[in-house]
Amino acid sequence: MVSLRRVALVLISFVGLIAPQLATAQTWPTRPVTLVVPFTAGTASDVLARSFAEFATRELGQPVVIDNRGGAGGNIGAAAVAKAAPDGHTILFATTGPAATNKLMYENLAFDPERDFAPVVLVAKLPVIIVARPNSVADLAEFVRQAKANPGKLSIGFPGNGTLGHITGLLLARLAGIEFNAVQYRGSGQIVSDLLGGHIDVGIDSMAPYVTNVQSGQLKALAIASARRWPGLPDVPTTAEAGLPGFEASVWYALLAPTGTSPQIVARLNAVANAYLDSPAAKEMFGKLGMEGAGGTPDALRTFIQSELAKLGPIVREANIRF
């Protein structure tokens, strides 16, 4: 009898501990959810976030509202979410910078992405593409040969200092053993214009802004820094196929919640995101933007972020990219 009473007391105590958490998961969200996009409207992250928000609104039964807070490489929006109440009503639609690499470059960062955010899910990857002017070089191997024969003379355009395109270019230089003239731009549009105008030799950037020009033959894609070819450009080899095995780089998109958010809320949001990734809307969006759907668990995202920091950290430190 005593042992049965003890078991009963243990069960009652356990139910008392988990009941509030279960109630939180069942009642969340109780009001509109704000999805902070740390970049301006019209960017790839904004377009993808709006597609997800529309799906999540139906799944959650509450509006999921986009809040564009651009500036400082995504740090302004990310800092706002890091300081928000961990109640599941403010979520960050993060990209590579605020979720990982900005930590390596910004001296006075107002948050630490590993400390201040609870990983939810890796949403998608947008591979980096290496593009050139038509009839300039036949393939990536020829570009590398020309760069080795003319150290520092060939010019490569990047969408700004410290962007993934820039870091990827530095990684290419290390792996291929080449030197080049780095040309920094404020955005992808200027790189496209200068490639078309013959002012630079190669551009290294996330793929989306270049797909149309590559498909039309105005630009030549030398390689995509992905593990597999993208169906929208089936004739473009991966960097491994082009002679640089292990060379992969993508801008990626992830959902992060403020640290302290209930694991039950994180789990539900993760489930909604994974359901979105299986939806026709997501597959259509990825096809338009040149993205690869991801998905998975919160722990998988945590491990992925750590691996990205380990891979890119030495490149950033060697180049002394600081803000």
Side-chain angles (χ1 to χ4, degrees), residues 9-267:
L9 289 173
V10 170
L11 289 174
I12 291 171
S13 299
F14 177 72
V15 170
L17 287 173
I18 68 170
Q21 297 178 342
L22 292 174
T24 297
Q26 291 170 352
T27 59
W28 176 86
T30 58
R31 61 180 188 273
V33 175
T34 298
L35 187 60
V36 175
V37 178
F39 298 96
T40 57
T43 55
S45 56
D46 174 70
V47 172
L48 180 56
R50 290 179 187 277
S51 176
F52 169 72
E54 183 178 348
F55 180 90
T57 293
R58 295 193 298 270
E59 293 291 310
L60 295 174
Q62 288 281 358
V64 177
V65 182
I66 299 295
D67 180 6
N68 292 101
R69 296 200 188 188
N75 292 337
I76 292 176
V81 176
K83 298 174 183 177
D87 58 9
H89 291 94
T90 305
I91 306 297
L92 179 66
F93 196 86
T95 60
T96 311
T101 54
N102 286 359
K103 175 181 179 177
L104 303 171
M105 297 179 287
Y106 286 81
E107 294 185 16
N108 298 310
L109 201 62
F111 63 94
D112 184 311
E114 293 184 283
R115 180 194 65 209
D116 296 328
F117 294 120
V120 177
V121 68
L122 181 64
V123 177
K125 297 179 181 180
L126 178 58
V128 167
I129 193 169
I130 304 173
V131 292
R133 292 177 284 108
N135 305 318
S136 58
V137 290
D139 50 30
L140 183 60
E142 183 179 342
F143 171 74
V144 170
R145 286 195 297 270
Q146 287 190 14
K148 287 183 176 180
N150 303 278
K153 292 185 179 180
L154 296 185
S155 56
I156 298 183
F158 308 109
N161 187 40
T163 61
L164 189 64
H166 179 208
I167 297 171
T168 302
L170 298 175
L171 182 59
L172 171 64
R174 170 187 277 191
L175 292 176
I178 61 175
E179 298 177 16
F180 52 78
N181 175 33
V183 184
Q184 306 288 354
Y185 291 87
R186 288 184 174 272
S188 303
Q190 293 175 309
I191 299 176
V192 172
S193 295
D194 274 9
L195 279 169
L196 294 173
H199 303 299
I200 57 175
D201 298 298
V202 164
I204 299 182
D205 195 359
S206 57
M207 188 164 61
Y210 302 85
V211 170
T212 301
N213 287 295
V214 172
Q215 290 173 333
S216 67
Q218 292 181 292
L219 292 176
K220 181 180 180 62
L222 303 182
I224 295 174
S226 176
R228 58 184 180 274
R229 294 195 182 197
W230 182 59
L233 297 172
D235 296 329
V236 179
T238 66
T239 42
E241 293 172 329
L244 288 176
F247 180 75
E248 295 180 20
S250 297
V251 177
W252 43 268
Y253 306 85
L255 291 176
L256 302 175
T259 292
T261 300
S262 162
Q264 288 72 31
I265 291 176
V266 169

